[in-house]
Amino acid sequence: AVITLRALARTDTTESMVFSFTFLLAVGAGLLSIPGWTPVLWAHWPLLAGIGLLGSLGQHFITEAFRNAPASVVTPFEYTALLWGVLLDLVVWGVLPGAVTLVGGAIVIGAGLYLIRREAGLRSRDDEPLQRRRPADAVQVDDQRPVLPDPGNHERGPLRLLPAQHA
């Protein structure tokens, strides 16, 4: 979803992305609700309108967050949704999640945090100057860019240039 959002952010407004997401979600949820549909009571419409408004605002702000900040910064805040869900279940219905739900949530959060940390490490490695991360068998040729032996030639045959160093 984050990759799709980043791609769409180049051409679409936040409002159009939120509308598209909400529309598709409403159609999907509507289709799934057909078998057990019961009419909505008039007293429930204000609650549904409030949920819709708050949900749209939340979606707008999370879309803006992913548009303007790295995913590694925003994603940990998304994981708080699991905690909010548990708290709302406890407050509204007095229900705590079972052991399987807690283990599943821990796996999801742990995997996400691992990926965030790994991506942050890869990003910082890419930002290092070339001299500090140059492979051991790279050689400098006349103050030009470092070159590496071609991996297909075991006798240190034709050399290939490494990417240019950015100052």
Side-chain angles (χ1 to χ4, degrees):
V2 174
I3 294 169
T4 303
L5 188 138
R6 293 249 184 221
L8 287 173
R10 289 185 227 134
T11 58
D12 291 5
T13 64
T14 299
E15 292 77 18
S16 70
M17 288 188 287
V18 170
F19 177 80
S20 299
F21 173 78
T22 306
F23 178 76
L24 291 173
L25 186 64
V27 169
L31 290 174
L32 290 173
S33 70
I34 289 173
W37 182 260
T38 56
V40 178
L41 301 175
W42 283 106
H44 294 163
W45 280 106
L47 292 171
L48 288 175
I51 290 169
L53 178 65
L54 292 175
S56 294
L57 284 172
Q59 187 63 41
H60 173 83
F61 290 130
I62 199 72
T63 301
E64 278 295 311
F66 275 113
R67 177 192 291 268
N68 294 306
S72 61
V73 173
V74 179
T75 304
F77 293 102
E78 279 231 57
Y79 288 132
T80 65
L82 292 170
L83 298 175
W84 286 108
V86 169
L87 288 174
L88 283 172
D89 269 353
L90 184 62
V91 170
V92 174
W93 290 286
V95 175
L96 283 173
V100 173
T101 302
L102 292 174
V103 169
I107 290 170
V108 168
I109 291 171
L113 293 176
Y114 167 76
L115 288 174
I116 291 166
R117 185 171 180 176
R118 187 177 140 255
E119 290 299 317
L122 290 175
R123 192 174 311 112
S124 67
R125 181 189 174 275
D126 289 342
D127 294 339
E128 289 180 23
L130 190 57
Q131 297 93 333
R132 289 201 317 227
R133 63 182 176 104
R134 187 180 321 149
D137 59 348
V139 295
Q140 192 77 27
V141 180
D142 300 329
D143 294 328
Q144 294 177 7
R145 295 185 291 171
V147 292
L148 281 176
D150 184 355
N153 189 334
H154 299 289
E155 298 177 14
R156 295 194 177 265
L159 299 175
R160 62 181 172 87
L161 293 176
L162 287 178
Q165 180 177 348
H166 298 289

